Amino acid sequence: MDIDAVNALPYEDFVDVFGNVVEKCPIVAAAVWSTRPFASLNALEAAVSEFIDALPESGKEGILRCHPDLAGRDLQRGTLTRESRGEQAQAGLDALEPAEMSRMARLNGEYKERFGFPFVICARMCDKANILQQLSERCRNERAAERARGVEEVKKIGRLRLQGLVLTGSPDKL
Amino acid sequence: MDIDAVNALPYEDFVDVFGNVVEKCPIVAAAVWSTRPFASLNALEAAVSEFIDALPESGKEGILRCHPDLAGRDLQRGTLTRESRGEQAQAGLDALEPAEMSRMARLNGEYKERFGFPFVICARMCDKANILQQLSERCRNERAAERARGVEEVKKIGRLRLQGLVLTGSPDKL
């Protein structure tokens, strides 16, 4: 799909295609449609990023809270979004050893208890060992720093989903 | 559920319960969780309203674009959210005569063409004749006025869903 095709989409189709670029937040795609036409894929990525930056801090935390735990309840129940399922599988999170699984659950719990939002990381850029290490380290951050870090990870995830959708027609095939 | 029970919900449960108070925008519930504890149901309603007001104008349009057409594609395909299905049925929109149906489709199309977002109205406060009349009239508004009007309707819908959930455990049983 070239950028002219993206710009020609009515909002309903645009939200159908890009509604999960930010996990469970179709409002983001629905909002950036207001700023079309986009000069390029980069401009569309920038529009998503700028919309997130313009949210109040509670809204940024809201975006984080729309994300599932890594190797958590939704993965076990099969209720992940298609995008998250692919990303968690790519990082090997759907095939953890029992010891890794319980370490992940414990650290996810500590993280959520401390910050009031889940640990978000661009899993496609990591493997499971790296994710566990970063989760353990980031548990020790300050809340504001960690909120900002989570938002940067949301943007990385969104960028990859967007590139996948525009360049290959699939959010996880790049 | 009294307000103390609401305030005691972890964010995951809070988003599970209130995630569709604003149609397909769980970010709203996920964001207002940051501002708990709520002194009352009124305070929770006010927090939702304030979060919406704090969004950039594109975000308000984004919220509108997450709403389905009345008596539209999602109703016909059975893909409405549970809340919207109940509300559209209460207003009689699931049992339109063919002439009403085609008038509604034509006016919905004109409205979306003119404004770039769908006609949103708190259907539970209307019957089908009233909805058709308002749709026809609101098609003639200015864009900024109509965006503001749509947002006020989103808040009315949200208030009824919230009251239903807190007072009866169901979004549409009040």
Side-chain angles (χ1 to χ4, degrees):
Chain A
M1 183 161 41
D2 66 17
I3 199 68
D4 292 334
V6 171
N7 286 327
L9 292 173
Y11 77 81
E12 288 158 301
D13 297 334
F14 190 89
V15 176
D16 277 351
V17 174
F18 299 114
N20 213 45
V21 160
V22 176
E23 181 77 7
K24 293 188 180 167
C25 292
I27 185 180
V28 178
V32 303
W33 189 83
S34 293
T35 66
R36 79 197 186 296
F38 306 102
S40 62
L41 175 54
N42 278 347
L44 172 54
E45 288 173 25
V48 168
S49 184
E50 282 158 23
F51 180 76
I52 295 172
D53 289 340
L55 290 172
E57 296 306 305
S58 66
K60 292 174 189 158
E61 295 181 1
I63 286 184
L64 297 176
R65 291 188 192 111
C66 289
H67 284 71
D69 285 356
L70 291 174
R73 186 175 70 167
D74 285 312
L75 186 145
Q76 280 139 41
R77 291 185 186 163
T79 51
L80 285 174
T81 61
R82 171 194 164 178
E83 293 85 352
S84 280
R85 190 171 63 239
E87 290 156 0
Q88 296 202 26
Q90 255 182 286
L93 297 177
D94 58 346
L96 294 182
E97 304 293 331
E100 294 167 330
M101 182 83 89
S102 60
R103 179 145 185 260
M104 183 76 83
R106 185 175 53 74
L107 287 170
N108 273 333
E110 281 177 29
Y111 186 99
K112 289 190 286 186
E113 180 64 29
R114 178 167 164 85
F115 298 117
F117 47 76
F119 174 72
V120 176
I121 191 168
C122 183
R124 284 174 63 191
M125 294 178 165
C126 302
D127 61 23
K128 64 184 181 182
N130 191 242
I131 287 172
L132 274 163
Q133 189 194 344
Q134 292 203 46
L135 172 50
S136 167
E137 288 171 8
R138 284 174 48 187
C139 270
R140 296 193 288 270
N141 278 348
E142 290 304 312
R143 188 162 191 281
E146 197 48 32
R147 176 174 59 210
R149 176 60 189 275
V151 167
E152 290 312 307
E153 297 295 323
V154 168
K155 291 180 185 174
K156 284 187 214 166
I157 297 167
R159 204 169 300 130
L160 289 178
R161 290 182 181 181
L162 207 46
Q163 289 174 0
L165 285 164
V166 173
L167 302 176
T168 75
S170 164
D172 51 8
K173 278 218 185 105
L174 201 69
Chain B
M1 182 160 43
D2 66 17
I3 199 68
D4 292 334
V6 171
N7 286 327
L9 291 173
Y11 76 80
E12 288 159 301
D13 297 335
F14 190 89
V15 175
D16 277 351
V17 174
F18 299 115
N20 212 45
V21 160
V22 177
E23 182 77 8
K24 293 189 181 167
C25 293
I27 186 181
V28 178
V32 303
W33 189 83
S34 294
T35 66
R36 79 198 188 295
F38 306 102
S40 62
L41 175 55
N42 278 347
L44 173 53
E45 288 173 25
V48 168
S49 184
E50 282 158 24
F51 179 77
I52 295 172
D53 289 339
L55 290 172
E57 296 305 306
S58 65
K60 292 174 189 159
E61 294 180 2
I63 286 185
L64 297 177
R65 291 187 193 112
C66 289
H67 284 70
D69 285 355
L70 291 174
R73 188 175 69 168
D74 285 312
L75 187 145
Q76 279 139 41
R77 291 185 187 162
T79 50
L80 285 174
T81 61
R82 172 194 164 179
E83 292 85 352
S84 280
R85 191 172 61 239
E87 290 156 0
Q88 295 203 26
Q90 255 182 286
L93 297 177
D94 59 345
L96 294 182
E97 304 294 331
E100 294 167 331
M101 182 83 90
S102 59
R103 179 145 186 258
M104 182 76 84
R106 185 174 54 73
L107 288 170
N108 274 333
E110 281 179 27
Y111 186 100
K112 290 190 285 186
E113 180 65 28
R114 178 167 165 84
F115 298 117
F117 48 76
F119 174 72
V120 176
I121 190 168
C122 182
R124 284 174 64 192
M125 294 179 166
C126 303
D127 61 22
K128 63 185 183 180
N130 191 240
I131 287 172
L132 274 163
Q133 190 194 344
Q134 291 203 46
L135 171 51
S136 167
E137 287 171 9
R138 285 175 49 189
C139 270
R140 295 193 288 270
N141 278 348
E142 290 304 310
R143 189 162 190 280
E146 197 47 32
R147 177 175 58 210
R149 175 61 189 276
V151 167
E152 290 311 308
E153 297 294 322
V154 168
K155 291 180 185 174
K156 284 188 215 167
I157 296 167
R159 203 170 300 129
L160 288 178
R161 290 183 182 181
L162 207 47
Q163 289 174 0
L165 285 163
V166 172
L167 302 177
T168 73
S170 164
D172 51 9
K173 278 220 185 102
L174 201 69

